[in-house]
Amino acid sequence: MLQLKNVHKTYGTKENAYEALRGVSLDIQDGESVAIIGKSGSGKSTLMHIMAGLDTPTTGTVEIDGVSLGKMSEQERAIVRNEKFGFVFQQYFLQPRLTVMENILLPLTIRGTSAGERKKRAEELLAAVGLTDKAKNRATDLSGGQKQRVAIARALANSPKVIFADEPTGNLDTEIGESVITLLFDVHKQNKTTLVVVTHDEDLAKRCDRMLTIQDGKIL
Amino acid sequence: MRLPDYIKFAQTNLLRTKLRTFLTVLALFIGTFTLAMTTALGTGITRYTTTQINAFTQPDTIMVTPPSRRSTSSTGIPEYNPNKSTVTSGGNAQLTTADVDKLKTIPNVTGEYPSYSVQPEYIQYGTGKKYVLAVTALRPQSQLTLVAGSLPSSTDTAATVIPYPYVATLGFANSAAAIGKTVTIHFNGLPVTSGTKAKPITTVPSKDIQVVIRGVLADTITSQQTYLAPSVMEDLSNFQNGSTAQFYEIALTVAPKSSTATLNAVKAAAIAKGYQAETPADVLKQVQQGLSVVQTALDGFAGIALLAAMIGIVNTLLMAVLERTQEIGLLKALGMRRNGIFGLFVYEAISIGFWGGLLGVGLGMAIGPVINNILSHTLLKGAVGLKLLVFPLPYMAAIVGLGMLIGFIAGALPAARASRLNPIDALRNE
């Protein structure tokens, strides 16, 4: 469902040019879980950004369900991200002034889903990540683990086809990280969502169906 | 995103930096408050002068004055014409009964009322003290505001209408008590010389008229005249000036509730006969033109304040964009489009404009009546019915709207900047 063909990504121009990706091709199946591992600076984050339509390749193509992301306008890519993708970031990126519930519903708010529908969905999502009692709390009042649970619920809000998780346990201690990983894989399996995880965490990588190692902009 | 979401997000974001929002709103408030007050002042003064002008101009009346050699025509300064000398025995251009006869022939004219120049000596009630006064003719269709009694018919030769201050001066308890009372007005005529050349005897004939007070005028700044029937005024003018009576103006009346076209036709006919003429609308227009210049100048000051506030909004939002770069990145990652991000910041700016406008107008409307009240007991005590500050709701709503428009204009640049941020760069921003 996600297909990359000979993707190159170059930052800068001429003598300052830096090639982050040097010809990456890969094919991710529906419902698969894939870990992308590699050292920092290996190009793994760039790869994820390009797969998720947050960035565009310099050359090569990215296709989602047979449709090329590169041929889309910025607006169309935004719609794809909103409807098909979910994101979990290392830094959570919760909106500090919004409540837990409002944070979770952000993708639906952006889409323009009616308030009634959003409310219904919020209840399901809060229950799924075990934060029903925190619904009205401000996002800033939560612990790291709770914040990442909110982020996972937010990533699930639009029932995405793919969840991209960028170092989801990077800011969490082992025990809490473990519970977050468990939650992430639970939702992946229950919802048959494709999961793409960028990580250095070996334990996390091993739980995925497939592990891709990236080094100097190439998949080994 | 839906409109309620935009509005809610805007308010939430404004509350994040309360002091900064407050100061930005305050800057705009100064501008909108000033604008609300200048508008209120302008409206108040315009309304007041309109009532005042209506008190001494009458509808369905065209005021005719002598031709002027110095008429300010658009064709430049007219050449000197020795046959068209305006210097008469009186020194100034004046109208005579011959002019009245000429103006009579204009179609649609129902009456001609020269401004008889009559100098009364005094007014007296019973055997009380004598007081000086000024008299003028009570033309039909006069629109005088009375505080007591009613307007007598212009043919009621035994009637008078007195200005409000005379009520107490003449010794009446109140306006109502004056109605129906007879007062005496004393006039002197031209001196008459009799006797022999060696022993001339100069006598001044005098005349008393007894008139019944039928009405008391409302207290206005401009109208302090005592009104008498036109025919009485004519008799008195003949008594004082003989047949050589001259007038500085002649009022031509047309049928009540005549159209503007009729008024203008009569005016044009009078001008065609070589006179100057103006309708009540002309008088009002002249005064209001002067007022609108003052109003524009005052609004200009408010405009400067608003311009400064606008720069404040731009500044506030540019800071907000910088602070929220990561958030913008996240919203973009989650699929918010450029115009969504643009809307987010623009609604925030419009909200600042809205609150600034509402506060300015609100405070203006709250303290306006207080100021009116204070002024009517102090500075403007004489001017009964003068509300210096009038806040017309459509104008006030327009000021709030202007605040929002200023917000929109100010917010557009920072919002466009935010909307162009690259989601990756924005997310990486630490």
Side-chain angles (χ1 to χ4, degrees), chain B residues 13-290:
Chain B
N13 284 329
L14 284 177
L15 287 174
R16 283 164 82 153
T17 50
K18 289 191 186 71
L19 183 63
R20 198 167 73 198
T21 302
F22 171 73
L23 291 173
T24 316
V25 168
L26 189 68
L28 194 73
F29 154 81
I30 291 166
T32 52
F33 176 71
T34 311
L35 196 57
M37 293 310 264
T38 56
T39 307
L41 189 67
T43 313
I45 290 177
T46 305
R47 280 200 191 168
Y48 185 66
T49 45
T50 306
T51 2
Q52 293 287 318
I53 289 165
N54 284 341
F56 73 84
T57 62
Q58 278 123 51
D60 310 311
T61 304
I62 296 100
M63 301 310 294
V64 179
T65 46
S68 166
R69 279 192 305 168
R70 288 182 298 138
S71 64
T72 49
S73 73
S74 55
T75 52
I77 300 162
E79 204 183 327
Y80 172 68
N81 179 355
N83 298 326
K84 205 183 159 188
S85 173
T86 56
V87 181
T88 61
S89 57
N92 277 319
Q94 296 278 303
L95 298 164
T96 64
T97 44
D99 294 304
V100 177
D101 293 337
K102 259 166 91 181
L103 291 162
K104 237 181 217 176
T105 59
I106 295 172
N108 289 322
V109 171
T110 56
E112 317 77 39
Y113 300 92
S115 62
Y116 296 110
S117 174
V118 173
Q119 312 304 327
E121 292 299 312
Y122 61 80
I123 184 170
Q124 188 182 25
Y125 171 55
T127 53
K129 282 187 182 169
K130 300 162 180 175
Y131 294 96
V132 295
L133 76 159
V135 293
T136 191
L138 177 68
R139 295 195 293 268
Q141 298 158 36
S142 288
Q143 286 211 326
L144 300 171
T145 315
L146 301 181
V147 287
S150 56
L151 217 51
S153 132
S154 58
T155 53
D156 184 354
T157 55
T160 187
V161 176
I162 61 167
Y164 178 76
Y166 281 85
V167 171
T169 308
L170 291 174
F172 298 109
N174 54 47
S175 300
I179 303 302
K181 300 293 186 328
T182 304
V183 287
T184 305
I185 303 174
H186 184 86
F187 298 87
N188 283 343
L190 290 170
V192 178
T193 310
S194 60
T196 60
K197 229 177 191 178
K199 260 178 103 184
I201 307 160
T202 306
T203 50
V204 178
S206 69
K207 190 170 181 172
D208 279 334
I209 60 162
Q210 312 286 325
V211 281
V212 180
I213 299 170
R214 293 291 175 209
V216 176
L217 289 167
D219 199 8
T220 58
I221 288 170
T222 50
S223 187
Q224 295 291 345
Q225 305 262 14
T226 295
Y227 286 82
L228 295 172
S231 58
V232 173
M233 288 295 287
E234 190 178 354
D235 289 347
L236 290 167
S237 175
N238 289 338
F239 172 66
Q240 287 195 330
N241 309 313
S243 54
T244 60
Q246 290 186 331
F247 333 110
Y248 66 92
E249 63 179 7
I250 297 168
L252 300 178
T253 56
V254 293
K257 300 205 163 52
S258 288
S259 67
T260 316
T262 310
L263 281 164
N264 285 336
V266 173
K267 175 186 160 186
I271 290 169
K273 285 182 190 292
Y275 298 94
Q276 293 189 93
E278 51 187 17
T279 64
D282 292 335
V283 179
L284 200 58
K285 213 165 92 185
Q286 281 164 17
V287 176
Q288 284 178 346
Q289 261 171 2

Side-chain angles (χ1 to χ4, degrees), chain A residues 49 54 74-75 78 81-82 87 89 91 93 95-97 102 106 109-110 112-114 118 154, chain B residues 1-2 5 8-9 12 15-16 326-327 330-338 423-424 427-428 430:
Chain A
H49 292 152
L54 286 168
E74 195 191 311
Q75 308 281 40
R81 285 200 299 273
N82 184 256
F87 293 93
F89 297 99
Q91 308 93 320
F93 291 135
Q95 305 285 55
R97 289 292 298 199
E102 287 164 339
L106 215 44
T109 308
I110 290 169
T113 310
S114 74
R118 272 189 264 163
R154 182 179 66 194
Chain B
M1 253 172 65
R2 288 169 178 235
D5 290 324
K8 195 183 151 217
F9 271 56
T12 311
L15 287 174
R16 283 164 82 153
Q326 261 190 8
E327 267 178 61
L330 176 84
L331 292 171
K332 285 202 142 191
L334 298 185
M336 188 175 271
R337 282 172 268 171
R338 271 191 183 192
I424 298 296
L427 282 175
R428 275 202 203 108
E430 294 291 327

Side-chain angles (χ1 to χ4, degrees), chain A residues 2 5 21 33 54 91 98 111 118 158 161 170 182 187-188 201 207:
Chain A
L2 248 180
K5 281 180 197 156
L21 295 177
S33 58
L54 286 168
Q91 308 93 320
L98 301 184
R111 192 186 291 184
R118 272 189 264 163
N158 55 350
K161 298 196 83 167
T182 308
V187 300
H188 153 63
D201 186 342
R207 292 178 68 165

Side-chain angles (χ1 to χ4, degrees), chain A residues 164-184:
Chain A
F164 293 98
D166 188 359
E167 301 281 13
T169 57
N171 279 357
L172 302 173
D173 62 41
T174 321
E175 198 185 326
I176 292 172
E178 188 58 39
S179 74
V180 167
I181 291 168
T182 308
L183 175 66
L184 200 56

